[in-house]
Amino acid sequence: MDYPGKASYPVNLTAVATEKTASEATEEATVSLQRSLYDPGYVNAMSHFYRGEMGRIMVWRQRLDITTNWAITSSTAIITIAFSTREVPHIIFFFNLAIVWVMLWIEARRYRFYDAFRARVRMLEAHFLVPMVMENRDLLQGEWKKLVCEDLILPCFKISKLEAIGRRLKRNYVFIFILILVAWVTKIFLHAEHAMDSLGAFYRALRVGHIPSWLVAFVFAGTFITVITITIYVSKKSSGEISEFGTHRSLWRI
């Protein structure tokens, strides 16, 4: 049976019975599926759609890098100022933590947008490109077209705010926070007015002006515990974007 148009890929069309049989509807549905999957117009439209979504997620990926650079730049500047002279109080690292937390909050919001569009790209790669490359319609699973259309009409986030914060902590910000806390402790030891010969002396050195030691210790310990807890919790609950070890990994050693 001949059909108008030239297919982009070789297709073995299923012949339809000339008589009205019970299997005619099934065979016509199979031919329809084959034509819709390999139709040049359909493939061209999906290719442009995929390219557009890739461009969108790359823009959001660049916005993630901008906030990370701001956090690193501000931390570097504050650490440099803190160690430049003894007269600079160590409470300056409190403002450093506040700046990094704000950057993390902004980046987590941006990451949710990035992840929402990345989910569309992964849907196209798994359910459109893979069957096209393998030339195997059995790989078409689920109502992925319906899900993509629903997401185009009513876009929605795919992860929670907490998971977004945890992912950015795991990737970048946990190292920034640890660096700030280490620099904070080092500043106290280097520029302390009295010798740090006991834990009590270190606790008293946390006091800055009218700010009591317990408040500084609470901010320090609270930041460390919160960062580590969120990072571990999200790491166990989420697999992330890319697995650490893929199947047949040795085949990719070129």
Side-chain angles (χ1 to χ4, degrees):
M1 180 179 295
D2 296 329
Y3 293 93
K6 182 179 180 183
S8 301
Y9 297 87
V11 180
N12 296 325
L13 297 177
T14 303
V16 180
T18 55
E19 297 181 358
K20 299 296 183 179
T21 61
S23 62
E24 182 175 357
T26 304
E27 293 177 354
E28 289 181 352
T30 303
V31 173
S32 176
L33 175 62
Q34 292 172 341
R35 294 185 63 194
S36 64
L37 181 61
Y38 294 130
D39 180 71
Y42 177 76
V43 172
N44 187 45
M46 296 298 290
S47 299
H48 284 291
F49 176 46
Y50 176 77
R51 182 165 25 186
E53 292 299 315
M54 280 293 297
R56 196 198 305 250
I57 66 173
M58 290 304 299
V59 171
W60 282 100
R61 190 68 184 85
Q62 293 173 359
R63 298 188 70 183
L64 295 178
D65 294 336
I66 290 175
T67 48
T68 302
N69 292 337
W70 287 349
I72 295 175
T73 302
S74 61
S75 299
T76 303
I78 290 177
I79 292 174
T80 302
I81 295 172
F83 285 97
S84 61
T85 176
R86 182 185 296 270
E87 283 70 24
V88 177
H90 63 79
I91 198 63
I92 191 175
F93 289 105
F94 175 82
F95 299 100
N96 194 177
L97 290 178
I99 292 174
V100 175
W101 274 116
V102 171
M103 292 296 103
L104 175 59
W105 185 263
I106 295 174
E107 186 164 325
R109 178 182 177 275
R110 293 179 175 180
Y111 183 81
R112 295 183 75 192
F113 283 94
Y114 162 79
D115 181 78
F117 301 127
R118 184 186 66 86
R120 295 181 187 174
V121 173
R122 291 294 299 122
M123 188 76 75
L124 292 174
E125 291 175 345
H127 299 286
F128 177 72
L129 294 181
V130 171
M132 292 287 290
V133 173
M134 298 296 295
E135 296 189 22
N136 185 354
R137 289 160 203 81
D138 295 335
L139 297 177
L140 292 173
Q141 299 176 0
E143 298 179 350
W144 69 275
K145 295 180 182 178
K146 180 180 178 182
L147 293 176
V148 172
C149 290
E150 290 178 350
D151 193 62
L152 289 174
I153 297 174
L154 295 174
C156 62
F157 294 120
K158 308 303 183 297
I159 59 176
S160 63
K161 189 74 172 183
L162 178 61
E163 185 174 355
I165 292 175
R167 287 190 179 185
R168 300 320 296 161
L169 273 173
K170 179 182 177 181
R171 296 294 182 184
N172 296 318
Y173 281 81
V174 64
F175 306 105
I176 300 177
F177 278 112
I178 291 177
L179 177 62
I180 294 173
L181 296 179
V182 171
W184 197 342
V185 174
T186 304
K187 166 70 177 179
I188 295 175
F189 272 92
L190 290 179
H191 296 165
E193 297 179 357
H194 306 284
M196 295 291 155
D197 52 1
S198 64
L199 184 60
F202 176 77
Y203 179 77
R204 290 189 294 271
L206 295 178
R207 179 183 178 89
V208 179
H210 297 288
I211 302 177
S213 300
W214 67 266
L215 181 58
V216 178
F218 174 79
V219 172
F220 186 93
T223 299
F224 181 79
I225 295 174
T226 301
V227 168
I228 298 301
T229 301
I230 295 178
T231 303
I232 295 176
Y233 174 79
V234 173
S235 298
K236 292 183 177 181
K237 295 294 183 179
S238 176
S239 59
E241 300 178 27
I242 302 178
S243 60
E244 297 294 336
F245 299 99
T247 58
H248 307 293
R249 183 170 179 266
S250 60
L251 299 178
W252 288 92
R253 294 177 180 175
I254 301 176

